[in-house]
Amino acid sequence: MGELNKEVVDLVWKRPGSNGVSASLFRRWTQGLVFSETEHTALEQFEGGPCAVIAPIQVWTKEEQKAALCSTLAEILEQACSTSSTTSFCLVTWAKGQCPHTTTHTPLTGGPETSQTPQDQQPSEKRIVKSLSELREEVVSLYETWKGRCGVLFFLYSVILTKGIVNIRNEIEDTTEPLVDPVYGHGSQSLVNLLVTGHAVSNVWDGDRECSGMKLHGIHNQTSVGFLTLMESLRYCKVGAFLKSPKFPIWILGSETHLSVFFAKEMCLVAPESPSEQARRVFQTFDPEDNGFIPDSLLEEVMKALDLVSEPEYYVSLMKSKLDPEGLGIVLLAPFLLEFFPDQDTGIPDSFPVYHYNGLKQSNHNERVEYVQGTALVLGLEDPMVRTDDTPVKRCLQTKWPYIELLWNTDRSPSLN
């Protein structure tokens, strides 16, 4: 792949001026897209790191193995192409005569623990296809490549080349940071967003924001699958409605170090945005720091954005007085929603079956990669039921459903890490 290969590798692995990544870290990413022996539609992750690629693929892979996996890979590549100026698809595979005859569980043999760039360890070639039908045929023809050694990396490189390196660099906020952390091997948020949305933006909020004269890019459309993160419960970030409320009831869950998947079969969980949910989202765009309130000077703009009666001389002044009776100069979110959108039924059932997937063997009971099934209860603020344990999975889900409770069918709660 010559110089183009070097550009891809640099984008994924290297900070400017660095020598590359350690051999052991790189080896953690050299695995195939392999299904668990105990859960035939669950992909298995051998070591920490490549969950940033495996989890976004897992969210779509639920049916017969070969057809489901190849369909998912094609969809992700199609999305990457549709969000760029390119009109063709690029698939990376082993160069002729170079495909290793090793099992999918065997990592690359490593030399001494030195810094290195990995491009020379995988002789590869590109295949260019121009149509969706050709893409799907080619993806199926490369099924053994995706399963084999370096399958994860070859697919990642295929997405990058299909999207276009320049296009990706234009979307990433800090172009000096590689897509894979060179110290810990974790995929960046830009990498996760690229695979989930087709855009390699670095943030998870809705739309773009201005900060010190810089435009910071976020998510611009409702996504097919969602993203929730424990980091929001720790107040390190705020995930926007487009990722929290996807088209399908499937969410990637992020911890400090790992990605897993939470999903349900209840389509009502992702029903079209209700008026109150829309109001909450619009209100929060005027409250970017997630304080739970806005200055009363912004009330008129919020009301206009929601097509509420916003005649400033009388009605807006009346609402300011009603929503800020103590004259503090702020309007709180909860009283605002109660005033304009009282007693709205969300349409979400009181309880529904849920499932959790973690691809790491060591994070599963008896080291068997299997879906963990449970029941979710979405309670009200005044509900007197006994609360369940305060686990990381629950804290992550509470960023979307504040009063959710989880009853798992296993002796222990599933692990977020």
Side-chain angles (χ1 to χ4, degrees):
M1 292 171 64
E3 283 302 307
L4 190 54
N5 186 52
K6 182 179 186 305
E7 286 185 59
V8 175
V9 169
D10 287 352
L11 177 66
V12 175
W13 300 101
K14 284 188 67 177
R15 284 194 178 103
S18 72
N19 293 323
V21 297
S22 68
S24 62
L25 187 152
F26 178 63
R27 283 198 300 272
R28 281 160 42 191
W29 280 75
T30 54
Q31 74 156 82
L33 294 166
V34 181
F35 288 97
S36 165
E37 295 178 359
T38 53
E39 188 77 68
H40 75 282
T41 60
L43 292 168
E44 191 170 312
Q45 179 181 340
F46 304 144
E47 297 185 73
C51 56
V53 175
I54 293 172
I57 294 173
Q58 179 65 46
V59 296
W60 289 111
T61 307
K62 292 185 188 173
E63 300 166 11
E64 192 271 323
Q65 288 184 351
K66 183 174 182 178
L69 178 62
C70 292
S71 176
T72 296
L73 302 186
E75 284 189 37
I76 294 174
L77 286 162
E78 181 183 348
Q79 181 175 247
C81 183
S82 68
T83 58
S84 70
S85 57
T86 59
T87 57
S88 60
F89 306 93
C90 181
L91 298 171
V92 179
T93 183
W94 291 101
K96 290 179 180 177
Q98 295 293 334
C99 184
H101 299 288
T102 57
T103 69
T104 53
H105 295 258
T106 305
L108 286 177
T109 55
E113 185 62 30
T114 58
S115 291
Q116 60 182 51
T117 48
Q119 68 261 32
D120 296 328
Q121 297 199 29
Q122 41 197 28
S124 52
E125 66 178 20
K126 295 184 297 176
R127 297 186 187 178
I128 305 296
V129 296
K130 298 287 187 179
S131 69
L132 283 177
S133 59
E134 283 184 282
L135 170 67
R136 294 182 180 277
E137 288 177 10
E138 199 67 30
V139 167
V140 171
S141 76
L142 292 173
Y143 181 60
E144 294 302 320
T145 295
W146 309 130
K147 288 173 55 184
R149 192 180 77 178
C150 289
V152 166
L153 284 177
F154 281 167
F155 178 69
L156 173 57
Y157 294 166
S158 299
V159 173
I160 289 171
L161 288 171
T162 295
K163 169 81 175 182
I165 294 172
V166 172
N167 293 325
I168 292 175
R169 290 197 185 279
N170 286 339
E171 292 176 346
I172 293 177
E173 203 159 280
D174 183 356
T175 55
T176 66
E177 291 300 310
L179 293 176
V180 174
D181 183 277
V183 178
Y184 301 105
H186 306 142
S188 67
Q189 189 65 51
S190 292
L191 175 51
V192 175
N193 287 347
L194 171 63
L195 295 171
V196 170
T197 73
H199 293 283
V201 295
S202 305
N203 304 298
V204 291
W205 56 60
D206 291 339
D208 297 336
R209 295 184 180 179
E210 293 283 342
C211 181
S212 302
M214 290 180 58
K215 180 177 280 190
L216 306 180
H217 298 291
I219 309 299
H220 282 264
N221 302 102
Q222 183 188 30
T223 54
S224 292
V225 297
F227 178 79
L228 303 172
T229 174
L230 187 64
M231 296 298 98
E232 180 170 355
S233 72
L234 301 173
R235 299 185 68 84
Y236 285 113
C237 69
K238 177 71 175 177
V239 179
F242 289 137
L243 281 171
K244 276 188 179 170
S245 301
K247 296 175 184 177
F248 299 97
I250 310 167
W251 291 264
I252 293 173
L253 304 185
S255 72
E256 306 94 327
T257 60
H258 188 48
L259 297 171
S260 57
V261 177
F262 174 85
F263 61 98
K265 298 178 180 178
E266 306 286 334
M267 286 302 294
C268 59
L269 298 178
V270 290
E273 200 174 41
S274 70
S276 63
E277 289 170 331
Q278 180 194 22
R280 179 185 294 272
R281 175 173 59 80
V282 170
F283 188 101
Q284 289 175 334
T285 62
F286 290 86
D287 174 27
E289 295 182 1
D290 195 28
N291 294 313
F293 63 83
I294 58 170
D296 64 358
S297 59
L298 294 178
L299 179 60
E300 182 181 347
E301 291 185 56
V302 174
M303 293 171 68
K304 283 182 177 177
L306 291 168
D307 291 327
L308 300 169
V309 176
S310 52
E311 192 278 314
E313 291 299 322
Y314 174 72
Y315 192 66
V316 175
S317 297
L318 177 66
M319 286 298 101
K320 283 183 182 179
S321 301
K322 189 171 183 179
L323 296 172
D324 182 21
E326 298 178 8
L328 300 176
I330 61 173
V331 175
L332 296 170
L333 173 60
F336 175 84
L337 294 176
L338 191 62
E339 173 65 30
F340 293 106
F341 305 93
D343 304 322
Q344 287 217 350
D345 182 10
T346 62
I348 296 176
D350 294 335
S351 67
F352 48 91
V354 294
Y355 306 84
H356 183 263
Y357 154 86
N358 189 322
L360 283 169
K361 263 190 176 181
Q362 60 266 35
S363 299
N364 286 264
H365 183 57
N366 292 332
E367 295 196 349
R368 292 157 62 98
V369 175
E370 296 177 306
Y371 302 133
V372 180
Q373 184 173 352
T375 301
L377 309 173
V378 178
L379 309 175
L381 180 60
E382 301 85 10
D383 206 301
M385 288 186 67
V386 176
R387 300 301 189 239
T388 56
D389 291 340
D390 184 27
T391 59
V393 169
K394 178 181 161 184
R395 290 201 301 273
C396 191
L397 295 174
Q398 282 176 325
T399 63
K400 177 171 175 61
W401 298 286
Y403 307 112
I404 196 171
E405 299 295 333
L406 298 163
L407 304 172
W408 298 102
N409 296 358
T410 50
D411 293 335
R412 62 177 189 178
S413 297
S415 173
L416 206 59
N417 289 308

